[in-house]
Amino acid sequence: MGAKGHRIYPFHLGDIDLPTPRVVTEAMNTAIADGKTGYCPGAGIPALREALADDVNMRRGTSYTPENVVVQPGGKPVITKFLQAVMNEGEEVLYPNPGFPIYESQIEYLGGIAKAYRYVPTERGFAIDLDQVESLITPKTRAIIYNDLQNPISAESTDAEREAVAQLAIEHDLWVLSDEAYFEMRYSGESKSIASLPGMAERTVILYTFSKKFAMTGWRLGAAIAPPEIAGVISTMNTNNESCTTHFIQYAGAEALRGDQTEVKAILDTLRGRRDAAFDVLSTIKGVTIAKPESTFYLFPDVTEAMAAKGIEEVNAFSTEALHATGVSFCTRKHFGRPQPGEDRDYVRFAYSGLPEEHIRGGLGLLKSWIES
């Protein structure tokens, strides 16, 4: 539609249209000029592994060393390599649904049994159905994927919920993948990691990514922060899969962590303004129910009544008709895992990270007019 001249408002893609901080790009250019263009250790260069261990410990209250850090070409590879390290074919892995769709696809691709756990709506947003999680655990369950500050629903665990998940993992001897991609993408409060709870560091792999905080989505830089035995397996996988993460980009990552944070803070301030703009419009649309999250860069409103008012019964049809009528593109709940039995509400996801405030207000204003017409 865009190629045909239609104006598109791309709320569907969780990318960031803001520039990577200059200190990061300058560090990369310097590394290239200095000849950091060859192979490097599969686990990552020492400077970056040390910087990551220090940064993670400072923000999470943990005690990792560089030996716990395995650099990756992005955050996604951590999901696959975690599963390869801890799961055999036919074993079960619990994962959040709705959730990042790569969890479900990778579990099944690698021969595992993907068992979805759900969220329930509350006044503050969404909460994990802990009773359901416990009911899903069997002797074949090997791991649970846990995404605090969650994509797509922006859910954030309370201390009690996080501790309950940790207790289940300990009681049933489960490995935990803690996807912390949005750990620092928050507008108030303080993030906490499940890995910092007693008994959890030795069974948890943290997924770390530079994509969000530093606006480095296309750079493909991340890390697994893992117990030594799992870090060693993932490091071996690195050597076999890609040899190493791009050498000069790792120096940029080290500077991102240790260098001036002025532009990094500006990214978060800009995203806060975009969140407020998107929420301001969506919360006024008749038939739309939405909570205001304090983290990530997504909004996940209930559009059940809005769909009924438009006479549309299926949520993907709703998104298609909205796109053609307004140019506003967004994902639906069905993009984030197969719907579970008993779901009777329809949700959609808006990513506001790739549009300036004026386009957010303009596009969502068109959507509001269409829904209410």
Side-chain angles (χ1 to χ4, degrees):
M1 287 183 66
K4 294 178 180 178
H6 297 280
R7 175 64 183 274
I8 304 299
Y9 298 89
F11 289 94
H12 63 282
L13 185 61
D15 202 356
I16 303 176
D17 67 338
L18 303 171
T20 303
R22 284 170 293 178
V23 294
V24 180
T25 57
E26 289 169 0
M28 180 197 69
N29 291 334
T30 298
I32 293 173
D34 289 345
K36 308 298 185 184
T37 55
Y39 290 127
C40 62
I45 63 171
L48 180 54
R49 296 173 74 192
E50 291 168 5
L52 277 165
D54 290 345
D55 190 78
V56 167
N57 290 338
M58 176 184 67
R59 299 180 190 282
R60 292 163 176 79
T62 49
S63 55
Y64 293 112
T65 70
E67 285 65 42
N68 296 109
V69 178
V70 188
V71 177
Q72 302 293 318
K76 280 185 181 179
V78 180
I79 302 170
T80 305
K81 292 172 185 174
F82 167 81
L83 293 170
Q84 289 176 309
V86 307
M87 181 197 78
N88 292 312
E89 289 189 25
E91 292 181 329
E92 300 168 349
V93 176
L94 310 186
Y95 71 98
N97 183 344
F100 192 46
I102 309 306
Y103 307 145
E104 182 178 272
S105 63
Q106 284 298 301
I107 296 166
E108 294 182 345
Y109 177 74
L110 295 169
I113 299 172
K115 300 184 74 172
Y117 63 86
R118 62 176 168 251
Y119 289 79
V120 292
T122 72
E123 290 184 358
R124 64 176 183 83
F126 295 88
I128 295 172
D129 187 338
L130 292 167
D131 290 338
Q132 187 210 23
V133 172
E134 187 165 19
S135 74
L136 293 171
I137 299 172
T138 77
K140 295 173 63 178
T141 307
R142 186 67 168 156
I144 181 171
I145 297 175
Y146 172 63
N147 182 199
D148 204 352
L149 297 97
Q150 205 251 32
N151 173 21
I153 63 179
S154 295
E156 179 179 0
S157 287
T158 62
D159 289 345
E161 181 177 272
R162 189 178 303 106
E163 290 164 6
V165 172
Q167 190 59 39
L168 286 172
I170 292 169
E171 287 178 2
H172 296 278
D173 194 22
L174 304 180
W175 289 102
V176 177
L177 175 63
S178 183
D179 185 342
E180 300 182 6
Y182 298 91
F183 191 85
E184 293 171 63
M185 306 307 296
R186 60 176 312 122
Y187 310 111
S188 67
E190 182 181 359
S191 296
K192 298 179 181 179
S193 173
I194 196 170
S196 67
L197 295 176
M200 290 306 294
E202 54 264 42
R203 66 176 64 252
T204 301
V205 175
I206 294 175
L207 184 159
Y208 184 100
T209 178
F210 288 78
S211 292
K212 320 304 181 187
K213 177 182 177 181
F214 300 105
M216 294 174 67
T217 53
W219 292 63
R220 309 317 302 141
L221 183 63
I225 318 296
E229 65 271 28
I230 300 299
V233 172
I234 293 177
S235 179
T236 300
M237 290 178 186
N238 284 10
T239 301
N240 283 272
N241 288 355
E242 59 270 336
S243 294
C244 59
T245 300
T246 305
H247 195 171
F248 51 84
I249 286 178
Q250 294 191 50
Y251 283 91
E255 182 62 24
L257 293 167
R258 299 207 186 275
D260 184 88
Q261 300 294 301
T262 302
E263 290 185 69
V264 175
K265 182 179 181 300
I267 291 170
L268 190 62
D269 290 341
T270 297
L271 291 174
R272 179 186 291 105
R274 293 178 178 186
R275 178 207 56 178
D276 293 344
F279 179 82
D280 287 349
V281 180
L282 287 170
S283 62
T284 67
I285 299 177
K286 187 176 181 180
V288 172
T289 304
I290 184 172
K292 188 175 185 179
E294 292 300 326
S295 62
T296 78
F297 39 69
Y298 307 110
L299 295 172
F300 196 73
D302 182 331
V303 294
T304 308
E305 274 75 36
M307 287 173 55
K310 298 296 292 183
I312 301 172
E313 296 182 357
E314 201 277 324
V315 70
N316 282 353
F318 176 71
S319 70
T320 299
E321 291 196 31
L323 173 63
H324 286 273
T326 68
V328 175
S329 178
F330 52 85
C331 293
T332 75
R333 183 267 177 270
K334 292 184 178 180
H335 289 95
F336 300 98
R338 291 184 288 267
Q340 300 187 60
E343 291 189 23
D344 58 0
R345 308 294 295 180
D346 288 301
Y347 294 87
V348 298
R349 190 201 75 170
F350 292 88
Y352 50 81
S353 53
L355 300 89
E357 285 187 37
E358 60 268 28
H359 293 173
I360 290 172
R361 293 186 184 277
L364 295 181
L366 293 173
L367 184 68
K368 174 182 171 70
S369 297
W370 174 71
I371 289 175
E372 295 181 350
S373 64

